Amino acid sequence: MFRKIRRVKNEISLEDAKLLLKNNKRATLSVNGLNGYPHSFPINYFYNAKENKLYFHGAKMGYKIDCINKDNRATFVTYGNEVLTEDGWSYKVSSAIAYGKIELIEDREETLKFVKELAMKYYTSEKEVDEVIKRSGSAVLVYRLNIEHLTGKIVHEK
């Protein structure tokens, strides 16, 4: 169902792709839009390596949730680990692409657990996270991307 990377020499190991998921902070999620066009949006996320699942949050209503409710298939892309090459001006950049289906976490307790895990990746203290969750936790929805296929590669931006 999923194609192999065309330039096999650029492929990174599955473990390196998972490290990108774990360490990066930003990504783009793409879903099938309601108007026939793909819809992509930047997200903050966290990767649960034990489960091999991605988590992100959003509002309980809007275009994103409407698209996901219609078709829950998605593509997730993150990239980074830029390494300056010997020439001193070009970079080698790694990327990871995950394909899977999104599910909404309906259970409130589970939602708040994952919101906290997500927030701890971005905030400086647990106290600050708890304050934000107390203020706006009731308005948030957590999405889980169940990874069906993961691939990664490194390219030389030249």
Side-chain angles (χ1 to χ4, degrees), residues 84-98:
L84 187 62
T85 59
E86 304 78 43
D87 61 25
W89 67 270
S90 64
Y91 288 85
K92 289 190 176 181
V93 179
S94 296
S95 63
I97 302 175

Side-chain angles (χ1 to χ4, degrees), residues 53-67:
K53 297 176 189 289
L54 293 157
Y55 292 86
F56 57 100
H57 74 289
K60 293 181 178 180
M61 52 195 307
Y63 190 69
K64 176 173 44 180
I65 188 75
D66 292 345
C67 293

Side-chain angles (χ1 to χ4, degrees), residues 14-155:
L14 190 56
E15 289 311 309
D16 285 344
K18 288 179 178 182
L19 277 174
L20 276 174
L21 295 181
K22 180 181 177 220
N23 295 326
N24 284 5
K25 290 190 170 195
R26 288 161 196 80
T28 301
L29 187 75
S30 299
V31 296
N32 293 307
L34 300 177
N35 58 3
Y37 287 92
H39 180 66
S40 299
F41 44 93
I43 60 170
N44 295 335
Y45 72 95
F46 85 92
Y47 172 62
N48 184 315
K50 192 181 210 179
E51 296 178 352
N52 194 38
K53 297 176 189 289
L54 293 157
Y55 292 86
F56 57 100
H57 74 289
K60 293 181 178 180
M61 52 195 307
Y63 190 69
K64 176 173 44 180
I65 188 75
D66 292 345
C67 293
I68 292 168
N69 282 332
K70 183 177 180 209
D71 185 348
N72 69 339
R73 294 173 297 163
T75 304
F76 171 97
V77 177
T78 189
Y79 64 94
N81 286 2
E82 297 97 351
V83 177
L84 187 62
T85 59
E86 304 78 43
D87 61 25
W89 67 270
S90 64
Y91 288 85
K92 289 190 176 181
V93 179
S94 296
S95 63
I97 302 175
Y99 301 86
K101 293 184 179 148
I102 297 172
E103 68 178 296
L104 308 175
I105 297 178
E106 304 286 347
D107 181 75
R108 204 72 219 138
E109 210 170 288
E110 193 178 7
T111 295
L112 294 176
K113 173 190 159 207
F114 288 120
V115 165
K116 186 163 187 171
E117 279 190 69
L118 175 65
M120 289 302 295
K121 185 174 178 179
Y122 297 92
Y123 286 85
T124 56
S125 74
E126 188 171 0
K127 181 181 180 216
E128 189 178 11
V129 167
D130 290 340
E131 288 171 1
V132 169
I133 290 173
K134 187 176 180 180
R135 271 195 323 270
S136 56
S138 63
V140 72
L141 182 61
V142 172
Y143 303 82
R144 176 175 24 231
L145 178 66
N146 299 303
I147 298 173
E148 296 176 8
H149 181 72
L150 175 63
T151 187
K153 70 178 186 177
I154 188 166
V155 295

